[in-house]
Amino acid sequence: FESKIAELIWVVIPIREIEVMEVMPEGGSLVSAMLFSTISKNAIVFSAIENRHELIARIKELKKNASVIEQPTLDAHKHPKILEPALNHFENSPLSPHNEAKQKIKENMWEMYFTDNGRSISMLRTPELVDLTTKGIPNKYRTDIWMIYS
């Protein structure tokens, strides 16, 4: 995937999820590339990384610090971790009138797109779809769009 818009996509991989980090050999289309393997057995390749050696050093440092922090203590059962509420808790919270109006506008724009270009897996992928996605997917359609593109 190559984004035509600078800084359109940000990928976040939690340090604790990185199991293996490898420098890829130079050649072909992979220039200054790295391979990350996660605990869940996903492999992710990034290429054209600026300052790759600095990035490697920083990740190693963060992994070392994270492993020190995450070591369980003997008193772990006395002080249970406080868990954050699930994301659906935040999604169902009421919106301000301003944000509710913005959601309605987005919903209308997406409905017009669905009418013109279909819906579900048969939906046409057009530059207009990229624009709509960049402007934001309304909460009402977020799960549907996620299922279509994942």
Side-chain angles (χ1 to χ4, degrees), residues 6 15 22 58-59 70 145:
I15 292 294
E22 297 179 28
R58 181 72 176 134
I59 291 173
E70 291 180 7
I145 299 297

Side-chain angles (χ1 to χ4, degrees), residues 27-41:
S29 62
L30 296 178
V31 177
S32 188
M34 291 180 63
L35 169 76
F36 293 91
S37 298
T38 63
I39 292 172
S40 58
K41 306 300 180 213

Side-chain angles (χ1 to χ4, degrees), residues 12-20 37-40 59 62-67 69-70 81 83-84:
V12 177
I13 305 171
I15 292 294
R16 67 180 172 274
E17 292 292 315
I18 297 174
E19 188 172 50
V20 177
S37 298
T38 63
I39 292 172
S40 58
I59 291 173
L62 289 171
K63 279 195 69 68
K64 184 176 80 171
N65 292 341
S67 65
I69 292 170
E70 291 180 7
K81 291 182 180 179
L83 300 176
E84 293 290 325

